[in-house]
Amino acid sequence: MAGAPYVAVVGPSDPSDEAYAAAEAVGRELAQRGAVVVCGGRGGAMEAVCRGAASANGVTVGILPGEDRSEANRWVTIAVATGLGELRNGVVVRAADAVIALAGGHGTLSEIGFALRIGRPVIGLNTWDVEGVEVAGDPVDAVERALRSAA
């Protein structure tokens, strides 16, 4: 795992059906290509990306806002309880080589901002229109761009 690319996937905790499906597809595609998936570890898009990765026997790291590892969704392989609340968003993106942002609200926007600030490549899929975010057309395209950027 140490040599594998780490890709953070960020998105809403209450995604639309379309965003949930996209997150699951991204997780599956990342796992199939040997990447470690990093996310916030709880529900919504985070659950979907972990579920997708688990379906392809991938490794997922959930960076949790609270102090209880049991808050992680059932598809998280490694749960990290930070006790940092929303500040853990910075840890999520710092732990990754690249970031894929899916849809999302202000939490996703903060993760995009943190990532761009520290120079992490951000690939967007139906997310905020922010200067510096590379736009992908679909989940496979997002994964290809993220892995190319992470190399």
Side-chain angles (χ1 to χ4, degrees):
M1 282 191 315
Y6 282 50
V7 177
V9 181
V10 300
S13 58
D14 59 346
S16 66
D17 291 344
E18 179 182 338
Y20 190 95
E24 190 170 354
V26 163
R28 184 172 39 258
E29 191 70 23
L30 284 168
Q32 288 172 345
R33 294 174 185 234
V36 173
V37 174
V38 180
C39 70
R42 295 179 74 192
M46 299 167 281
E47 175 186 88
V49 72
C50 291
R51 182 178 180 178
S55 75
N57 298 313
V59 174
T60 60
V61 178
I63 310 291
L64 301 166
E67 297 178 0
D68 185 354
R69 286 190 302 272
S70 70
E71 292 176 354
N73 71 65
R74 68 182 184 160
W75 291 285
V76 168
T77 310
I78 300 165
V80 179
T82 67
L84 295 173
E86 295 303 321
L87 294 176
R88 69 75 152 84
N89 290 357
V91 178
V92 170
V93 300
R94 185 156 296 273
D97 303 308
V99 177
I100 297 175
L102 302 162
H106 292 113
T108 303
L109 180 59
S110 76
E111 288 164 314
I112 291 169
F114 285 138
L116 292 173
R117 177 76 173 117
I118 64 171
R120 294 293 189 273
V122 179
I123 313 304
L125 186 59
N126 300 318
T127 194
W128 293 87
D129 181 15
V130 175
E131 184 179 339
V133 174
E134 185 178 344
V135 178
D138 59 45
V140 172
D141 184 34
V143 169
E144 288 173 354
R145 289 171 185 264
L147 293 177
R148 191 168 44 247
S149 296

